Amino acid sequence: MIRSSACQPWRADHPGPCRRTRRPSRHLHHSLGHDRYERFAAYDQAWNDWFEMQGIEPFRIAYEALSADPLGSLRKVLSRLGLKCEGASGITPGVGKLADATNHEWAMRFRLEHNIA
C-alpha cells in the first residue's frame, strides 16, 4: 500500500511501471506504515466486534491465500455458499499481486520494528 501510495499503480496490470527511480525513504515507510497499520487494525477490530454482536462467524480468507491461489479461494467461497465449485472454472483474475522483494523487505522490517508476529 505504501508503494502504491508513492507511485500510484494499485494493480499489477497498471499500464506502465512505477516510475520511481528510487524507493521511498525509510521515514516514509515507517510513518505511513505505522499509521496505516493502526488504522487497519482498528477497522479489523471493529468488524470483529460487529460480527460478534450479530452472532456471525465470518468466513475468512487471508490475502496471502487469495493472492497465491485466487481460483482455489473462489472455490472455497462457492462451496461455503452451497454453490457448485465448477462455477470457478474458466475464471481468470483480472489483476495480480503487485508486491515484490521490496515490499517483502519493508514488511519484514516493519514487523521486526513493531514486534509483530
Side-chain angles (χ1 to χ4, degrees):
M1 177 176 265
I2 295 167
R3 184 174 183 184
S4 292
S5 295
C7 62
Q8 298 307 306
W10 288 91
R11 305 177 348 201
D13 66 341
H14 182 271
C18 178
R19 301 211 187 285
R20 292 185 68 85
T21 56
R22 59 186 175 88
R23 297 188 287 185
S25 72
R26 181 180 174 98
H27 174 71
L28 175 67
H29 163 265
H30 180 77
S31 63
L32 284 177
H34 184 68
D35 291 347
R36 290 192 177 151
Y37 174 80
E38 293 294 323
R39 184 179 340 149
F40 283 105
Y43 292 157
D44 195 43
Q45 186 59 54
W47 275 112
N48 287 332
D49 293 345
W50 185 85
F51 284 127
E52 187 175 330
M53 287 184 341
Q54 302 303 315
I56 298 171
E57 180 64 34
F59 180 65
R60 299 180 188 270
I61 298 176
Y63 171 76
E64 293 78 10
L66 177 63
S67 65
D69 185 11
L71 292 180
S73 296
L74 176 57
R75 286 185 184 100
K76 288 178 184 179
V77 170
L78 293 172
S79 176
R80 178 69 180 245
L81 293 171
L83 301 172
K84 295 180 181 178
C85 295
E86 295 82 33
S89 298
I91 300 292
T92 303
V95 297
K97 188 173 180 177
L98 183 61
D100 61 12
T102 299
N103 299 90
H104 180 73
E105 175 191 330
W106 286 354
M108 295 300 293
R109 187 172 66 219
F110 183 85
R111 287 182 184 112
L112 286 172
E113 291 172 358
H114 296 283
N115 296 318
I116 300 169

